[in-house]
Amino acid sequence: MSQTEGPYRPHVALSTSSLYPKGVPETFDAARRLGYDSVEVLVTHERMSQLTHQLLNHIQEYQVPISTIHAPTLLFTQQVWGKAWTKIQMAAKLTEQVGAEVVVVHPPFRWQTKYARNFVQGVREVSRMTGIKISVENMYPWRVAGRKAVVYSPHYSPLGQDYDWVTWDFSHAATAHMDSLAAVKELGSRLGHVHLTDGSGKTMADEHMLPGHGVQPVAETLEYLRDTRWQGVVGVEVSTRKSKDADERDAWLSESLAFARRHMEETG
């Protein structure tokens, strides 16, 4: 969604997860007020996140488009939309219906053996059949009984996997102790989407800190994407649950948007 001619300007979306436990309407309202380019909808148990007509109504009411649909492939959304492949197919259909351009999915859990066995090829087939970009997100190891455990298959890291498109999340990279700049360079043209956030690298938790507040080379990575004129959406996915009130939450979301534009916009 970025311009291919003239000064480079990033397309920055606000994820509904950034407003959690608030929902879809509050995200659209914040996106419009704060100047975001679009909304990224994480499909959850909230019915409004699942229904095409509700989402189209919000696009019309707030005059803010939806650029990204995040499929309900998280652990806490396992009951949403039934079986694993159904989730991806329905997310692709919803993406087309609301005029978005990319679906974000997580890799399978190891206990989803049949789904995991055909995941790489299956994602490619759904993408080809629907014409929708399906972008697999980098994840991180978990800690089980005090020990590090890899719970994703084929792996939490998309590097070395044969995905057509990859979503890069800086918070997940911090938890996995990965270098985001090196990873993004390695992914090259396969980078399909970015989750703008950060992490301390000191915990196994998924922190989703504000960009620039952690240890990841977030600024350097965004500047690299600017210099290579990457054409994609940067989705702000930060945690605001600890903000003391709505004003502070807005300030954090404004800071994240400003960070993206400061490090990605060309001034000349």
Side-chain angles (χ1 to χ4, degrees):
M1 285 192 174
S2 297
Q3 298 175 355
T4 56
E5 297 181 359
Y8 182 85
R9 182 183 184 278
H11 183 105
V12 187
L14 178 60
S15 171
T16 55
S17 66
S18 294
L19 277 289
Y20 184 83
K22 300 293 184 180
V24 172
E26 292 85 357
T27 305
F28 270 91
D29 178 66
R32 181 180 62 180
R33 288 187 293 100
L34 302 178
Y36 277 82
D37 298 303
S38 65
V39 165
E40 174 173 338
V41 176
L42 171 61
V43 178
T44 65
H45 300 85
E46 181 190 8
R47 289 289 289 165
M48 199 173 292
S49 70
Q50 305 174 24
L51 301 177
T52 302
H53 71 279
Q54 292 274 21
L55 295 176
L56 290 175
N57 286 343
H58 280 78
I59 291 172
Q60 180 65 29
E61 178 181 355
Y62 292 96
Q63 291 296 293
V64 176
I66 296 173
S67 58
T68 312
I69 296 293
H70 194 314
T73 50
L74 288 71
L75 186 62
F76 86 95
T77 58
Q78 288 301 291
Q79 304 306 314
V80 178
W81 285 356
K83 295 181 179 180
W85 285 119
T86 303
K87 296 174 186 290
I88 294 180
Q89 291 164 352
M90 290 185 68
K93 182 178 180 180
L94 182 61
T95 298
E96 180 181 20
Q97 290 172 334
V98 301
E101 65 174 34
V102 61
V103 173
V104 175
V105 302
H106 289 185
F109 294 106
R110 284 196 175 274
W111 55 82
Q112 297 174 300
T113 52
K114 185 177 180 180
Y115 174 52
R117 189 179 307 123
N118 302 310
F119 180 70
V120 177
Q121 184 60 30
V123 165
R124 179 174 292 119
E125 288 302 316
V126 174
S127 183
R128 288 176 178 174
M129 287 188 298
T130 61
I132 297 297
K133 182 189 298 182
I134 299 177
S135 190
V136 183
E137 189 167 4
N138 65 306
M139 298 305 292
Y140 50 90
W142 290 11
R143 188 169 296 279
V144 178
R147 302 181 65 180
K148 184 183 293 186
V150 177
V151 298
Y152 296 100
S153 181
H155 201 268
Y156 62 80
S157 171
L159 303 183
Q161 307 301 327
D162 191 25
Y163 299 129
D164 288 342
W165 302 102
V166 170
T167 293
W168 194 259
D169 183 298
F170 291 98
S171 177
H172 297 173
T175 305
H177 296 160
M178 298 183 72
D179 183 330
S180 288
L181 179 57
V184 164
K185 287 181 177 180
E186 182 175 338
L187 288 170
S189 61
R190 296 195 300 139
L191 181 68
H193 189 63
V194 168
H195 277 161
L196 181 58
T197 180
D198 210 337
S200 69
K202 297 179 180 179
T203 173
M204 297 300 291
D206 185 13
E207 299 171 288
H208 283 276
M209 298 168 64
L210 271 62
H213 289 234
V215 299
Q216 283 290 300
V218 185
E220 295 88 342
T221 304
L222 296 185
E223 290 164 3
Y224 170 78
L225 294 177
R226 176 200 64 202
D227 294 343
T228 56
R229 299 183 73 84
W230 175 71
Q231 301 301 307
V233 174
V234 176
V236 169
E237 196 178 78
V238 297
S239 175
T240 61
R241 282 176 287 180
K242 294 183 179 179
S243 58
K244 64 178 181 289
D245 53 31
D247 288 340
E248 183 171 57
R249 183 182 66 219
D250 277 359
W252 291 1
L253 297 177
S254 292
E255 178 183 334
S256 299
L257 175 60
F259 186 97
R261 290 185 173 157
R262 182 167 67 253
H263 292 289
M264 295 190 79
E265 286 184 348
E266 289 179 339
T267 57

